[in-house]
Amino acid sequence: MQIINDPAYMQKTAESLRLKHQLIAVVMTMGALHEGHLSLLKIAKENAGTVILTIFVNPRQFGPDEDFHRYPRPFEKDAAMAKAAGVDYLFAPDVESMYTEGFQTQVNTGDITNRFEGEKRPGHFNGMATVVLKLLMISKAHLAIFGEKDAQQLAVIKRMVRDFNLGTTIIEAPVVRNEDGLATSSRNIYLSSQERQQATVLYQGILRAKELVAQGMTETEKILEEVAAVIGSAPDATIDYTGIVDADTFAETGTLRPNAHHRLLLAVWIGSTRLIDNSILEPLEQSAAQDT
Amino acid sequence: MQIINDPAYMQKTAESLRLKHQLIAVVMTMGALHEGHLSLLKIAKENAGTVILTIFVNPRQFGPDEDFHRYPRPFEKDAAMAKAAGVDYLFAPDVESMYTEGFQTQVNTGDITNRFEGEKRPGHFNGMATVVLKLLMISKAHLAIFGEKDAQQLAVIKRMVRDFNLGTTIIEAPVVRNEDGLATSSRNIYLSSQERQQATVLYQGILRAKELVAQGMTETEKILEEVAAVIGSAPDATIDYTGIVDADTFAETGTLRPNAHHRLLLAVWIGSTRLIDNSILEPLEQSAAQDT
């Protein structure tokens, strides 16, 4: 595994690989690698001859009150995990080389980020999309693997790839969960052991929603009420938002439609740690058909 | 010369060319080709084995009161000129294939567009930069040739290429002028013969500025006053703006600095047609040195 810090050198290396007809897959992270990231790398290995892992804690996707400085940066451990996972190139630039003097051009992600994470974290998605665009250009990847965990991020990136004709194939990787259902996240390490136990209410909320939908419920307001009740059972849980949206446009929907691609979204504070989770909801064909 | 309308097919073609180690240059136009465009194509031919010409009248860089519908579209004539100029691929997509359903991601060009053309034409540079990014992705060009005529556009594109790590080399082509100094422009055809004569005041203003600078004048306000007097001598001329800026950042400057890259900018209405022009100003080393 080669570690590269310089964006121009990474780009030149990627260009040579392309000219040698190598298929390149990229996995973008902010480091602090966990099982979720390893699952993305596994998909990358299965789909491409060359795997580039990027580690870059991007200041432009953190808000002023967010945890940029507190964000974990265990580089040596990450590099060892990357090597073990079969990564070919670990690209880890510093902030100055990514945002050179006079930097000012940004991606504007549009209506898809007016709500949910975009509303709660102003500027987050523009900063994220900008760095994803930069990393796609630098890595010259044919394939990029992103987790469904960050569902709105995934939708924004897919939209950007189409809108800007980037030509990259985006592969969606399912959420990786602990045995009790908690989605893996770099932020889970902030949880106390009591909070860690309570954090399972997000997944329990998802299971409750799936159960209701399987029973034929299509009214999203009612489903979200029941989800809120499950989450509210944890004493240190505070709902930031819940929603049920079209999985591509992130437009909210009042009634589940048959054969549509709906997603349940959750953002919940457990103590002082904010967790997100989500799941596709598939309405029953027969019950949904009654609404049309 | 092959004419291609489909963005995906153009991109695929360009990718094959790259894999055959072909060097690709792109010239982007809105059609209505004139001597100015031909000079860009000539530079492209000199620098690359494959030349792609794009013709796309981009609705997203016209304001609501601008001439999108009135803009000339002489496609057959353009194609003949392109072929004669040695173009290999003429890429001419329609609006629907460039802005597909749900399109919403845009480039935000930043402070460089707060003034001058950016201020006068809100949204213009974001729309322009977005389509330039798309056309760079579709054409997969190693080189892109842009004219100095649209100086702020050139600065915005250079900034975007750096900020987004696009890896494209931008070549700047000098302004092409008619014998009497009027810069070639697709909009010149809107001028009546009387207006056409008066339109030379832009170039006369540039010559006056150069003369003053050669005489040692470094105060930009005084230079612009003299330029305004020259332009004001034409009865149908109305100044939209004049300015002297740093050529890279487009920040205005009060005093010409030695060894700096300054540009004089002009936008002038001649009757109901708006013309722009510009020129690099090079202060005398000895006179400029007195100010430091």
Side-chain angles (χ1 to χ4, degrees):
Chain A
M1 185 182 78
Q2 192 178 343
I3 298 175
I4 296 179
N5 305 114
D6 179 42
Y9 184 68
M10 181 71 251
Q11 193 169 40
K12 205 175 146 187
T13 304
E15 177 68 8
S16 324
L17 290 164
R18 273 197 167 242
L19 289 177
K20 287 176 202 151
H21 296 254
Q22 274 291 314
L23 199 68
I24 304 171
V26 67
V27 172
M28 300 179 190
T29 76
M30 300 206 299
L33 300 183
H34 52 63
E35 285 301 318
H37 300 117
L38 295 181
S39 77
L40 303 184
L41 289 173
K42 188 159 174 285
I43 294 171
K45 287 294 282 182
E46 285 162 6
N47 285 278
T50 301
V51 173
I52 301 177
L53 171 70
T54 73
I55 295 184
F56 181 59
V57 186
N58 176 29
R60 289 174 179 260
Q61 70 192 68
F62 286 80
D65 301 327
E66 290 181 4
D67 55 353
F68 174 67
H69 293 290
R70 187 186 170 207
Y71 202 88
R73 289 169 174 82
F75 185 76
E76 298 305 322
K77 190 182 162 209
D78 285 347
M81 285 174 79
K83 195 175 173 184
V87 167
D88 299 292
Y89 297 91
L90 170 52
F91 176 56
D94 61 22
V95 172
E96 290 68 30
S97 68
M98 288 293 277
Y99 301 110
T100 55
E101 202 197 326
F103 177 91
Q104 62 188 276
T105 322
Q106 282 237 84
V107 176
N108 182 338
T109 53
D111 293 343
I112 196 168
T113 56
N114 285 350
R115 290 276 286 119
F116 305 110
E117 290 301 292
E119 186 182 6
K120 295 289 175 182
R121 306 177 68 187
H124 166 71
F125 280 113
N126 288 343
M128 179 281 294
T130 302
V131 84
V132 167
L133 174 59
K134 286 165 70 65
L135 292 171
L136 287 175
M137 294 299 109
I138 293 166
S139 67
K140 292 191 164 275
H142 300 86
L143 309 171
I145 329 295
F146 290 96
E148 272 190 83
K149 167 81 180 343
D150 295 301
Q152 196 169 9
Q153 168 177 293
L154 179 63
V156 166
I157 291 167
K158 286 167 69 180
R159 189 71 251 175
M160 175 172 73
V161 166
R162 257 175 297 173
D163 288 348
F164 287 169
N165 304 86
L166 301 184
T168 320
T169 300
I170 303 298
I171 300 183
E172 309 181 20
V175 180
V176 176
R177 300 186 179 281
N178 291 284
E179 274 187 22
D180 61 3
L182 178 66
T184 56
S185 163
S186 305
R187 292 190 170 100
N188 290 351
I189 61 164
Y190 301 149
L191 299 168
S192 72
S193 66
Q194 271 198 333
E195 289 171 343
R196 172 65 190 77
Q197 283 185 323
Q198 295 181 39
T200 59
V201 288
L202 282 86
Y203 186 58
Q204 286 159 21
I206 288 173
L207 292 181
R208 180 71 183 129
K210 283 179 173 287
E211 188 180 39
L212 293 167
V213 171
Q215 287 165 10
M217 192 181 282
T218 59
E219 227 181 298
T220 59
E221 200 179 317
K222 281 191 188 167
I223 298 169
L224 293 176
E225 267 171 32
E226 297 265 350
V227 170
V230 171
I231 293 170
S233 71
D236 297 322
T238 313
I239 289 177
D240 194 14
Y241 64 74
T242 64
I244 295 176
V245 297
D246 177 287
D248 292 322
T249 65
F250 267 67
E252 281 175 282
T253 177
T255 308
L256 299 186
R257 298 180 315 281
N259 307 318
H261 208 205
H262 298 288
R263 203 180 280 277
L264 168 66
L265 307 174
L266 303 178
V268 178
W269 290 94
I270 303 290
S272 63
T273 303
R274 188 171 174 280
L275 301 177
I276 61 171
D277 204 340
N278 73 87
S279 181
I280 288 288
L281 293 183
E282 288 171 17
L284 287 178
E285 282 189 35
Q286 64 275 26
S287 66
Q290 292 167 8
D291 297 317
T292 57
Chain B
M1 185 181 78
Q2 192 178 343
I3 297 175
I4 296 180
N5 304 114
D6 178 41
Y9 184 67
M10 181 71 250
Q11 193 168 42
K12 205 175 146 187
T13 304
E15 178 67 7
S16 323
L17 289 165
R18 272 197 168 243
L19 290 177
K20 287 176 201 150
H21 296 254
Q22 275 290 314
L23 198 69
I24 304 172
V26 67
V27 172
M28 301 179 189
T29 75
M30 300 205 299
L33 301 183
H34 53 62
E35 286 300 318
H37 300 117
L38 295 181
S39 77
L40 305 184
L41 289 173
K42 189 159 173 283
I43 294 171
K45 286 295 281 182
E46 286 163 4
N47 284 280
T50 300
V51 173
I52 300 177
L53 171 71
T54 72
I55 295 184
F56 180 60
V57 186
N58 176 29
R60 288 174 180 260
Q61 70 192 69
F62 286 80
D65 299 328
E66 290 181 3
D67 55 354
F68 174 68
H69 293 290
R70 186 186 171 209
Y71 202 89
R73 289 170 175 82
F75 185 75
E76 297 306 322
K77 190 182 162 209
D78 285 346
M81 283 174 79
K83 195 175 172 185
V87 167
D88 299 291
Y89 298 91
L90 170 53
F91 176 55
D94 62 21
V95 171
E96 291 68 30
S97 69
M98 288 291 278
Y99 300 111
T100 54
E101 203 196 326
F103 177 91
Q104 61 188 277
T105 322
Q106 281 236 85
V107 176
N108 182 339
T109 52
D111 293 342
I112 196 169
T113 57
N114 286 349
R115 291 276 287 119
F116 305 111
E117 289 302 292
E119 186 182 7
K120 294 291 176 181
R121 306 177 68 187
H124 166 71
F125 280 113
N126 288 342
M128 180 281 293
T130 303
V131 85
V132 167
L133 174 59
K134 288 166 68 66
L135 291 171
L136 287 175
M137 294 299 109
I138 293 166
S139 67
K140 293 190 164 274
H142 299 85
L143 309 171
I145 329 294
F146 290 96
E148 272 190 83
K149 166 80 179 347
D150 295 300
Q152 196 170 10
Q153 168 176 293
L154 179 63
V156 166
I157 291 168
K158 285 167 70 180
R159 188 72 252 173
M160 175 173 73
V161 166
R162 257 177 296 174
D163 288 348
F164 287 169
N165 305 86
L166 302 184
T168 320
T169 300
I170 303 297
I171 299 182
E172 310 181 19
V175 179
V176 175
R177 301 186 179 281
N178 292 282
E179 275 188 21
D180 61 3
L182 178 67
T184 55
S185 163
S186 305
R187 292 190 170 101
N188 291 350
I189 60 164
Y190 299 150
L191 298 168
S192 71
S193 66
Q194 270 198 334
E195 289 170 344
R196 172 64 189 77
Q197 282 185 322
Q198 295 181 38
T200 58
V201 289
L202 282 86
Y203 186 58
Q204 286 159 20
I206 288 173
L207 291 182
R208 179 73 182 129
K210 283 178 174 288
E211 188 179 36
L212 293 168
V213 171
Q215 286 165 9
M217 191 180 282
T218 59
E219 226 181 299
T220 59
E221 201 179 317
K222 281 191 187 167
I223 298 168
L224 293 176
E225 266 171 31
E226 298 266 349
V227 169
V230 172
I231 294 170
S233 70
D236 297 322
T238 312
I239 290 177
D240 194 13
Y241 64 73
T242 64
I244 295 176
V245 297
D246 177 288
D248 292 321
T249 66
F250 266 67
E252 282 174 282
T253 177
T255 307
L256 298 186
R257 298 181 314 282
N259 306 318
H261 208 205
H262 298 288
R263 203 180 279 278
L264 168 67
L265 307 173
L266 303 178
V268 178
W269 289 95
I270 304 289
S272 63
T273 303
R274 187 172 175 280
L275 301 177
I276 60 171
D277 204 339
N278 72 87
S279 181
I280 289 288
L281 293 183
E282 287 171 17
L284 287 178
E285 282 189 37
Q286 65 275 25
S287 67
Q290 292 168 7
D291 298 317
T292 57

